[in-house]
Amino acid sequence: MTIDIQAQENPPETRYKDKLNEGFYVYVPRKQKIQDSFIMMFQNKLQELAAENVLTVEGWRVLVMVLGKVDFENFIRVKQVQIAEELGMKPPNVNKAFKRLIELGILEKINQDNFNGYRLSYEIGWKGKASNLKTHIKSKERAEATQTAARAKR
């Protein structure tokens, strides 16, 4: 938000005319509400992904469509068949792209509670509150530490 401070010889008329002195008035525009949904992206990871040249054109198309479908907390609640239809691709090609995105750590397969689907890696982007991102990162770190400890016991 920008604040526009301007010197005015004749300040605008107000109902507080008696309290208005010569000098400056401050115009603060109303906060604009975002009409469309958005996702926070991490530029470094996207640049690394582009530089590594590890995705096909179809892989990029699927990734961009998935980014457009990400729900809060990075859940992806859309079926591959729907993505194939929307992109005009064959379902097996979308499936290959999903497998490659999982291989690269961009997506993860989720089978928990009543949800079977995918989740975008928080290292690529995040949709939701920043405080929830911090909580998610901490829980991931705890899970990784637990897995590492379990492997060390073997």
Side-chain angles (χ1 to χ4, degrees):
M1 175 182 359
T2 59
I3 298 177
D4 185 17
I5 301 176
Q6 300 176 354
Q8 295 288 316
E9 288 179 28
N10 299 315
E13 295 294 321
T14 69
R15 60 185 173 153
Y16 304 104
K17 209 186 269 186
D18 56 324
K19 296 186 181 191
L20 213 78
N21 297 322
E22 267 187 49
F24 296 93
Y25 76 95
V26 177
Y27 168 73
V28 180
R30 288 181 183 235
K31 187 175 180 182
Q32 293 183 2
K33 292 186 178 181
I34 298 172
Q35 298 298 319
D36 203 358
S37 61
F38 67 95
I39 180 172
M40 175 176 55
M41 301 296 298
F42 297 105
Q43 293 173 315
N44 288 344
K45 288 293 183 179
L46 291 173
Q47 289 171 4
E48 287 173 21
L49 188 59
E52 290 171 359
N53 197 24
V54 291
L55 287 175
T56 63
V57 172
E58 286 186 335
W60 278 106
R61 289 182 68 209
V62 170
L63 175 59
V64 172
M65 181 61 80
V66 165
L67 292 173
K69 303 276 186 187
V70 170
D71 203 354
F72 286 97
E73 308 299 318
N74 282 18
F75 289 104
I76 300 160
R77 303 178 192 282
V78 63
K79 297 193 180 298
Q80 291 181 23
V81 174
Q82 182 183 343
I83 290 175
E85 287 172 6
E86 291 181 24
L87 292 175
M89 291 173 59
K90 294 179 181 175
N93 293 347
V94 172
N95 185 266
K96 282 181 196 172
F98 264 76
K99 285 180 180 176
R100 184 67 177 142
L101 292 170
I102 291 167
E103 218 175 82
L104 294 170
I106 296 167
L107 296 181
E108 61 180 298
K109 186 109 169 93
I110 302 289
N111 294 315
Q112 67 182 30
D113 302 327
N114 294 332
F115 181 74
N116 290 322
Y118 301 91
R119 193 174 202 175
L120 179 70
S121 168
Y122 67 88
E123 294 177 341
I124 297 291
W126 184 256
K127 183 170 183 173
K129 294 180 179 179
S131 60
N132 292 349
L133 172 58
K134 289 177 185 176
T135 302
H136 180 71
I137 291 170
K138 286 179 185 176
S139 70
K140 280 290 211 186
E141 289 171 349
R142 280 193 303 270
E144 286 174 13
T146 303
Q147 287 177 352
T148 303
R151 278 190 226 123
K153 287 182 181 180
R154 290 182 201 166

